[in-house]
Amino acid sequence: MAVQAGEMRERAAVYREEPVTDENNETDYVYQPLRTIWANVTPTSGRTAELPGEAERAEITHKVTIREASLPEICRGMYFVVRGLRLDVLYWYPIYNRRGWLEIFCRMVQGEVQADGA
């Protein structure tokens, strides 16, 4: 079923990885806000995995449908924030039977333990 412009009900903040040079002339990459766009966000699949220490991780895949003109340059170094949830970009492709629309598949990971303990 095709997405209509009226179904773009979610405000998605877009963040992109940008190089930043510090005082030691070293380059680091930091996510910077790029823009806020309208999107249609649909969960598509999910799975859980057991982690050591009786912890569990949930990984949910979402499909984010946007107008191509709202985000002309897209890359894997981006993520969306929709309703406080971070959606990391996995891959994308145009909707071939409807010009001007993109489907972006994203991953939301919950409960993952970071290396620094956060």
Side-chain angles (χ1 to χ4, degrees):
M1 183 173 192
V3 174
Q4 302 294 324
E7 295 175 4
M8 310 287 265
R9 296 190 177 136
E10 301 291 338
R11 291 296 282 168
V14 183
Y15 289 79
R16 182 171 54 189
E17 197 175 40
E18 297 286 340
V20 176
T21 306
D22 62 6
E23 62 275 356
N24 295 332
N25 210 17
E26 295 175 349
T27 302
D28 192 16
Y29 289 90
V30 177
Y31 284 101
Q32 300 289 334
L34 181 63
R35 64 179 61 174
T36 303
I37 60 174
W38 287 102
N40 182 20
V41 180
T42 308
T44 56
S45 68
R47 66 183 176 137
T48 60
E50 295 291 326
L51 295 175
E54 298 181 10
E56 192 173 83
R57 177 181 71 192
E59 184 176 303
I60 301 113
T61 304
H62 287 74
K63 178 176 69 172
V64 178
T65 307
I66 65 168
R67 291 184 179 192
E68 194 172 9
S70 66
L71 197 58
E73 294 180 19
I74 187 166
C75 64
R76 292 208 46 195
M78 290 181 163
Y79 69 86
F80 299 99
V81 175
V82 179
R83 294 187 184 192
L85 301 173
R86 178 179 165 159
L87 304 174
D88 296 325
V89 173
L90 295 174
Y91 59 94
W92 62 93
Y93 55 85
I95 302 174
Y96 293 110
N97 61 351
R98 298 208 48 217
R99 291 183 56 169
W101 295 84
L102 281 176
E103 285 184 344
I104 305 166
F105 286 85
C106 301
R107 177 181 61 208
M108 180 183 68
V109 178
Q110 291 182 333
E112 186 173 46
V113 178
Q114 302 290 327
D116 61 359

